[in-house]
Amino acid sequence: MIKKRLLAVAAAGALVLGSLSSVVAQGNTLTIWADAERIPVLVELADEVEADLGITLRFVEIGLGDARDQLLTAGPVGEGPDIMITPHDTIGQLVQNGAIVPIELDADLEALFTPAALDLFTYQDTLWGIPYAQENVAVIRNVDLAPEPFATWDDVRALGEQLKSQDIFAMAIPTGNTYHNFPVTSAFGGYIFGLNEDGTFNIDDIGLASEGGLAAAQFLSGMYRDGLLPTSVNDDVMFSLFEEGKTASIITGPWYSQRIIDTGVNYAIDRIPGVPGVTEFGSPFSGGQGFVISAFSNNQLLAETFLLDYVATTEFMQALFDKGGRPPTFVNVDTSVNPNIEGFVNAGFNAIPMPAIPQMASVWGASDAALTLISLGEDPVASMETAVVQIKNAIGVAAELAAAGRTITLVGSLQSEAGCPGDWDPTCSVTFMTDNGDGTFTITVTLPAGDYEYKVAVNGSWDENYGADGARDGANIALSLAQETEVTFMFDDNTKMISDSVNN
Amino acid sequence: MSAQVKQKGVAPDRAALFWNVLGYGLIAVFNALILTLIYGFATMGNTALVVVLGIIGVGTTVVFFVPRLYPIRWMVPGLAFVLLLVVYPIYFTVANSFTNYGDGHLYAKQQSIRLITARKFVPPDALSYRWEVMQGEDGRYALWLTREVDGVLEVVFAPEGDSLRVVEGAASADAPPEFEGFRLLSGGERTTALGFIQNAVFGEGDDTVGIRNRREAARPLKQRFVYDAEADAITDISTGTVYVANDQTGFFEPVGGGEPLAPGFIINVGLANFARFINDPGLRGPLIDIFIWTVVFAAGSVVSTFALGLLMALILNSPDVIGRKVIQSLLIIPYAIPAVISIMVWRALLNDNFGLINRTLIDWGILTRATVIPWLTDASWAKISILLVNLWLGYPYMMLISSGALQAIPSDVYEAAAVDGATPWQTFRQITLPLLLVTVGPLLIASFTFNFNNFLLIDALTQGNPPIPGSPVQAGYTDILISYTYRLAFGNRGADYGYASAITLVIFAMVALVTVFQTRFNNQWERMSDNA
């Protein structure tokens, strides 16, 4: 009986001991989080590094998609890595949470990277990681079914009409997938986020329902309607169609390099078709993976030494490429063993970096849903416009939370009438608008007859203010009252639109 | 055996003594570990976990030393795990629901300040040197700095806590193996030093040097952000901007407006998360429909799986069925295969254009290519598909519990029924079912609550698709509450734990209400069976 009791105590002790070992800080150790494919390559490097630097490298297998969330959970309690591998589009969120530190490249090292790869890991003018792979989708064409590359999307359609009687599609694209459909969107001039003058993303300008975005949606809709583009397609369906010769082309990326070869199809890798008068070639998204240094690491200088002196070398980048087959970021890595790489790099010549800003998280679901609806025959314009509303709602709610306590002032020539000491005064609390909690603000004031002009100002200053049509620094809004009137003003912080009960 | 000896007051034999000493030793080790953990979590500022661990440590010790509590000893590990894995998470969820814990606000204020003030910057007029590290006999570190000015070599020796000195007449940029009692470090020693010198300041007064990266040192290298506790503000030394802590937003915000400093910190937002859930555009949109479908889905799953499972159990309960052990084993297979795998297979089978089911139906001439069944892409069909797949996944469990419960029904009531001339349907309706429900009723309620939150099935089979056109927040016809709110809290923007916690509590309240209602309903069955 006592034995049992002791076993229980011992078990509890062992459990606690186990958790303790991870709490206690490691000495001269670099902990590296990497995915299953990268770890073997890093392990090969370990002997040399350990001998040179007198350290121990500790590897933990974490999937590429999980690294960010894991770091944000484990890092603050001291259990995170010193270095980890992550996709480039997590950088914005990691920086927003102060979880990684910038990396400075020496000029000689910088020259070894392709500039586009470094761009992927640059956020707010600062480099945050060492990229090792850069990738984009391309058109994989069955040369026997489609001897010539598609120059335009109309060519795709034309071939589809020609092959339809044989039950063959001209192209198969994963259905309802924003990433794989972006080449179509971009070819017609659509985009995700517009750009500010300084080159940063303008999150108020969502291009899915822009002229180009809608043209792309309409093109896709027509293709689905006429049975020229298969629906309910995922990667597996796409590859089986390709293998069976049921589609003349597919859109996929270099991570499926081997799978493409395994289909046994006589193929070529092409650039994305364009649209005459709009684009010569459509642009795929470019994405990348790289190494970042945790802000919670106690060994940042050592981590930097390891990354820049051992990882950012041609030999190691070559080893990573040989193992993983993803297009390298180093200019002098030899890719000749993999004939597909040249094709993918060629197709990515005009690739657009996938936005790495935190707001991108709000885009995927809504945009995927719109594309799914289009494949089901719903109205393309309404679907895309709904997606934009959904994205704005998601971003708006997030922005509202970030800006809880944001004050909105009704400013204008009507302020003194409303009880303020003067007109056009954003600091006057009498005309602060009431937060309705859903991003809209209202205020009701009784004004004598007369002609007025007004706008709204944010946080008691003119730095951020909105006028007619929701434009920032926009024109004054006129208000004419023939008699004394009780007027309700409303400002929607999501759309920045201003309305009042008299004009609208 | 030996415990009984002790209780009788007889002097413990050697073996008992040995076990007792070992027991005390282990309790001591256990407490030492608990204390270490408490210390660790206390330094991280996690008070709640410290309290929980404290209770576990003290409780275990008390139980061990008080003979009267002897019977409780067996429950100690269980109770400890309940505290750690059930009570604490509930507390954690409730506490989080009143905060803005989430992306951008992941840390307590102190930790955010630590992260922000750790950043450095190089003033525009700073000098840049190459560095090597040396160590004195007293353990102090020093940097050997070199740079070229117009082709002339300049060497500076920079010890910790001492003024910088120009080294005259150095022949080469290489550091000497020894200099004034300081030894040049290399290999493992140098590596060890890196951790200590990365944030150290060399030199004294206004003239200092800091390490900028693995090759360069800057003279000076300054701390970019300085925190002033009195003003509760952070000053950016490089620009002079002052960022004041705003306890309403959880950010350090620049005076006069602009981008706040990242990261922000956790603040108490009161009921804001709940208010946001109520004001969320999602609530004005599809939430009602989703709630109705959730109830339909959960209830439908329970009823359909129970009906089929019971039917199978009744059939297999009859001794006339040939090879029923084999059939029973085969029928349990769907239950034995991991659900995720089954769902993935079903998803492929049900694919509209390329799935095996539709293809087969076309091959048999029942359907044409134009009239395929939209299993997963039509709102109603997708719901049917979900119920069918869940039926496949769930009926073996119902069959198992039903056959168990059927065995427990005494045979004399059936004999009595037969004597009274009851038809088989009457027997089933008035004897089998009521008596069965007494036993399996609670399990049906458990099944309902499980399906109410069956995130895995929805996420793996349809991900909520097909989407609802025109919905203000992205939602699908097959979304149930948990999959929908998961997307609301996590999918549409990074992690938002405070909001997610609030939603969890709301769903918990809903499920609790339904369960209470069902328990009442079940009690009625029990009364009925008492009468039977």
Side-chain angles (χ1 to χ4, degrees):
Chain A
M1 275 176 113
I2 287 186
K3 263 190 197 167
K4 267 194 188 166
R5 176 196 339 162
L6 291 176
L7 270 178
V9 176
L15 188 89
V16 173
L17 197 68
S19 51
L20 189 74
S21 67
S22 54
V23 174
V24 175
Q26 309 272 337
N28 244 355
T29 302
L30 275 184
T31 303
I32 300 170
W33 284 2
D35 62 312
E37 228 169 282
R38 249 53 61 179
I39 284 184
V41 189
L42 286 162
V43 167
E44 275 171 34
L45 184 69
D47 282 345
E48 182 197 345
V49 177
E50 291 180 355
D52 277 11
L53 295 177
I55 57 171
T56 312
L57 294 182
R58 196 171 140 249
F59 299 104
V60 180
E61 189 185 320
I62 305 258
L64 278 176
D66 297 331
R68 171 190 59 198
D69 295 343
Q70 296 276 332
L71 174 67
L72 294 178
T73 320
V77 293
E79 293 188 31
D82 299 293
I83 294 169
M84 73 172 191
I85 290 181
T86 191
H88 87 279
D89 59 331
T90 61
I91 297 295
Q93 238 160 340
L94 288 170
V95 172
Q96 176 198 15
N97 287 309
I100 53 175
V101 294
I103 296 179
E104 276 187 74
L105 284 188
D106 320 312
D108 50 339
L109 208 51
E110 196 177 328
L112 293 175
F113 286 94
T114 61
L118 291 179
D119 275 354
L120 288 175
F121 278 82
T122 303
Y123 180 70
Q124 293 173 346
D125 292 333
T126 307
L127 182 70
W128 298 91
I130 301 294
Y132 70 82
Q134 186 197 354
E135 56 207 12
N136 52 267
V137 295
V139 173
I140 319 296
R141 177 170 49 90
N142 183 330
V143 179
D144 301 328
L145 291 172
E148 291 296 318
F150 304 113
T152 68
W153 284 98
D154 283 339
D155 290 351
V156 179
R157 195 184 163 96
L159 183 72
E161 284 164 352
Q162 193 188 321
L163 294 175
K164 195 181 178 189
S165 57
Q166 305 168 49
D167 248 348
I168 297 174
F169 297 103
M171 187 178 278
I173 311 174
T175 311
N177 184 308
T178 305
Y179 180 79
H180 287 90
N181 280 281
F182 184 71
V184 188
T185 310
S186 64
F188 283 86
Y191 51 91
I192 302 283
F193 290 115
L195 295 178
N196 291 318
E197 274 169 30
D198 58 358
T200 56
F201 288 106
N202 177 1
I203 60 165
D204 292 327
D205 178 12
I206 296 164
L208 293 174
S210 64
E211 195 186 326
L214 291 180
Q218 273 157 341
F219 172 79
L220 286 171
S221 174
M223 292 285 281
Y224 284 122
R225 186 191 58 226
D226 299 338
L228 302 175
L229 206 54
T231 58
S232 299
V233 171
N234 54 32
D235 286 348
D236 296 331
V237 168
M238 184 173 74
F239 271 96
S240 70
L241 286 175
F242 193 61
E243 191 170 346
E244 294 164 16
K246 293 278 180 200
T247 178
S249 64
I250 59 175
I251 287 188
T252 195
W255 48 90
Y256 278 143
S257 216
Q258 192 55 46
R259 204 167 170 182
I260 297 168
I261 296 168
D262 290 345
T263 58
V265 171
N266 187 10
Y267 68 91
I269 301 179
D270 299 335
R271 287 183 178 174
I272 310 291
V275 172
V278 183
T279 52
E280 193 184 352
F281 296 101
S283 303
F285 267 141
S286 74
Q289 290 115 40
F291 296 83
V292 294
I293 300 177
S294 162
F296 308 104
S297 161
N298 293 321
N299 253 328
Q300 290 168 2
L301 191 57
L302 182 60
E304 186 198 67
T305 307
F306 170 72
L307 281 189
L308 297 188
D309 289 346
Y310 294 89
V311 168
T313 58
T314 307
E315 298 76 34
F316 184 70
M317 289 293 179
Q318 183 75 52
L320 274 179
F321 169 74
D322 291 344
K323 191 93 184 168
R326 302 201 175 209
T329 57
F330 253 42
V331 284
N332 41 16
V333 165
D334 176 15
T335 60
S336 56
V337 290
N338 187 335
N340 290 345
I341 296 302
E342 200 190 329
F344 281 113
V345 171
N346 179 36
F349 86 105
N350 62 349
I352 295 171
M354 195 157 67
I357 54 176
Q359 288 80 3
M360 194 61 195
S362 307
V363 171
W364 299 113
S367 171
D368 285 359
L371 290 166
T372 305
L373 286 172
I374 289 170
S375 81
L376 297 177
E378 294 285 337
D379 179 48
V381 174
S383 300
M384 280 300 168
E385 282 171 350
T386 300
V388 171
V389 171
Q390 290 174 348
I391 294 166
K392 286 198 165 166
N393 273 335
I395 295 176
V397 177
E400 179 203 328
L401 188 78
R406 188 172 153 100
T407 60
I408 307 290
T409 322
L410 177 69
V411 288
S413 57
L414 42 75
Q415 274 181 295
S416 50
E417 280 78 3
C420 284
D423 285 329
W424 299 104
D425 177 11
T427 62
C428 172
S429 61
V430 177
T431 54
F432 276 6
M433 299 174 80
T434 309
D435 187 349
N436 298 325
D438 59 359
T440 64
F441 295 74
T442 45
I443 186 173
T444 303
V445 285
T446 305
L447 296 171
D451 291 325
Y452 302 96
E453 285 192 325
Y454 72 93
K455 301 178 74 169
V456 300
V458 178
N459 289 340
S461 95
W462 284 109
D463 291 344
E464 191 183 341
N465 69 80
Y466 299 92
D469 298 320
R472 190 161 181 173
D473 301 313
N476 295 341
I477 301 167
L479 174 70
S480 298
L481 301 177
Q483 63 208 47
E484 188 179 280
T485 316
E486 193 183 72
V487 188
T488 299
F489 299 84
M490 180 165 147
F491 172 65
D492 187 340
D493 208 4
N494 302 322
T495 61
K496 314 301 180 200
M497 292 302 283
I498 307 164
S499 55
D500 64 58
S501 54
V502 174
N503 283 333
N504 315 90
Chain B
M1 184 34 198
S2 37
Q4 288 160 353
V5 173
K6 200 176 93 184
Q7 276 172 347
K8 282 178 190 160
V10 177
D13 58 25
R14 275 176 168 232
L17 186 70
F18 169 76
W19 287 117
N20 268 343
V21 169
L22 192 66
Y24 293 143
L26 281 175
I27 259 295
V29 172
F30 177 72
N31 277 331
L33 289 173
I34 288 275
L35 280 176
T36 327
L37 278 181
I38 286 180
Y39 175 76
F41 286 114
T43 50
M44 291 171 203
N46 192 333
T47 325
L49 211 47
V50 167
V51 171
V52 170
L53 286 170
I55 293 173
I56 292 176
V58 172
T60 310
T61 313
V62 167
V63 168
F64 191 84
F65 282 106
V66 178
R68 219 156 29 89
L69 296 177
Y70 190 84
I72 300 182
R73 280 190 198 185
W74 313 109
M75 294 165 61
V76 164
L79 287 174
F81 281 121
V82 165
L83 264 181
L84 210 54
L85 302 177
V86 178
V87 178
Y88 174 68
I90 291 176
Y91 161 79
F92 191 68
T93 309
V94 175
N96 269 340
S97 67
F98 300 109
T99 68
N100 64 347
Y101 182 42
D103 253 342
H105 303 269
L106 285 174
Y107 324 114
K109 196 171 182 178
Q110 278 311 314
Q111 191 161 13
S112 282
I113 293 171
R114 243 194 334 265
L115 282 170
I116 291 169
T117 53
R119 294 172 199 167
K120 305 226 172 71
F121 83 107
V122 183
D125 58 345
L127 307 177
S128 178
Y129 293 88
R130 295 246 146 180
W131 60 268
E132 264 313 322
V133 59
M134 306 180 95
Q135 190 173 28
E137 272 146 26
D138 53 356
R140 257 192 325 154
Y141 292 107
L143 293 185
W144 181 268
L145 304 167
T146 57
R147 66 166 184 153
E148 278 195 17
V149 190
D150 305 327
V152 182
L153 182 70
E154 181 195 321
V155 178
V156 175
F157 182 69
E160 261 179 308
D162 223 333
S163 52
L164 305 183
R165 247 176 318 132
V166 175
V167 180
E168 302 289 354
S172 84
D174 297 335
E178 258 197 54
F179 185 81
E180 299 188 356
F182 282 81
R183 218 159 36 82
L184 182 66
L185 299 182
S186 63
E189 278 186 314
R190 183 176 185 279
T191 306
T192 310
L194 293 182
F196 293 101
I197 62 172
Q198 59 186 356
N199 293 317
V201 177
F202 298 87
E204 61 174 358
D206 293 336
D207 191 12
T208 60
V209 173
I211 291 179
R212 182 177 172 184
N213 60 36
R214 77 198 197 289
R215 288 189 187 151
E216 276 178 75
R219 176 183 182 184
L221 181 70
K222 285 193 172 162
Q223 183 181 343
R224 176 156 174 202
F225 295 100
V226 178
Y227 177 65
D228 177 359
E230 210 160 289
D232 199 10
I234 291 177
T235 307
D236 183 344
I237 304 291
S238 70
T239 63
T241 314
V242 178
Y243 296 82
V244 183
N246 184 337
D247 289 330
Q248 303 296 309
T249 61
F251 276 119
F252 283 95
E253 292 171 347
V255 176
E259 282 282 302
L261 282 178
F265 46 88
I266 299 174
I267 50 161
N268 195 319
V269 295
L271 292 170
N273 285 322
F274 295 93
R276 203 176 123 204
F277 185 55
I278 292 166
N279 288 324
D280 201 299
L283 261 189
R284 296 198 289 276
L287 191 79
I288 304 292
D289 293 343
I290 288 173
F291 181 73
I292 292 171
W293 159 239
T294 307
V295 175
V296 169
F297 162 70
S301 295
V302 173
V303 171
S304 63
T305 53
F306 181 61
L308 185 63
L310 179 58
L311 182 70
M312 297 287 179
L314 284 171
I315 295 171
L316 292 171
N317 202 31
S318 152
D320 306 336
V321 179
I322 303 160
R324 59 188 180 130
K325 285 271 173 267
V326 178
I327 297 175
Q328 197 162 17
S329 310
L330 288 175
L331 286 175
I332 291 172
I333 286 180
Y335 190 50
I337 296 171
V340 185
I341 295 176
S342 296
I343 297 169
M344 290 297 176
V345 171
W346 274 107
R347 191 176 164 175
L349 291 177
L350 291 169
N351 187 300
D352 299 359
N353 296 330
F354 311 102
L356 191 68
I357 296 178
N358 275 348
R359 277 192 173 192
T360 310
L361 292 175
I362 292 171
D363 287 347
W364 287 350
I366 298 173
L367 298 175
T368 66
R369 199 169 280 282
T371 61
V372 290
I373 298 175
W375 291 110
L376 295 175
T377 51
D378 175 80
S380 310
W381 277 109
K383 288 178 178 176
I384 292 170
S385 300
I386 283 179
L387 285 172
L388 284 178
V389 172
N390 212 19
L391 177 61
W392 166 264
L393 294 172
Y395 85 85
Y397 170 73
M398 293 298 182
M399 184 181 79
L400 284 177
I401 59 168
S402 300
S403 33
L406 283 176
Q407 307 290 334
I409 298 176
S411 54
D412 51 352
V413 288
Y414 286 114
E415 283 160 23
V419 169
D420 289 349
T423 64
W425 173 246
Q426 279 175 322
T427 315
F428 171 76
R429 189 72 189 73
Q430 289 171 9
I431 295 177
T432 313
L433 196 60
L435 286 176
L436 200 64
L437 280 175
V438 176
T439 328
V440 301
L443 295 172
L444 294 186
I445 292 176
S447 169
F448 179 87
T449 22
F450 170 79
N451 279 312
F452 199 89
N453 286 332
N454 197 342
F455 179 78
L456 175 76
L457 175 69
I458 304 294
D459 191 57
L461 192 62
T462 66
Q463 277 142 351
N465 282 327
I468 301 175
S471 159
V473 175
Q474 199 240 311
Y477 283 112
T478 59
D479 263 324
I480 56 174
L481 267 183
I482 191 81
S483 66
Y484 172 66
T485 47
Y486 172 84
R487 198 172 317 114
L488 217 56
F490 295 104
N492 279 345
R493 39 191 170 256
D496 197 340
Y497 303 113
Y499 189 39
S501 298
I503 294 175
T504 309
L505 290 181
V506 173
I507 293 187
F508 172 73
M510 286 181 179
V511 176
L513 267 177
V514 172
T515 312
V516 167
F517 177 75
Q518 280 207 326
T519 316
R520 289 259 166 91
F521 184 71
N522 195 50
N523 286 343
Q524 283 176 352
W525 276 113
E526 246 165 76
R527 275 197 299 278
M528 259 180 76
S529 69
D530 288 345
N531 299 336

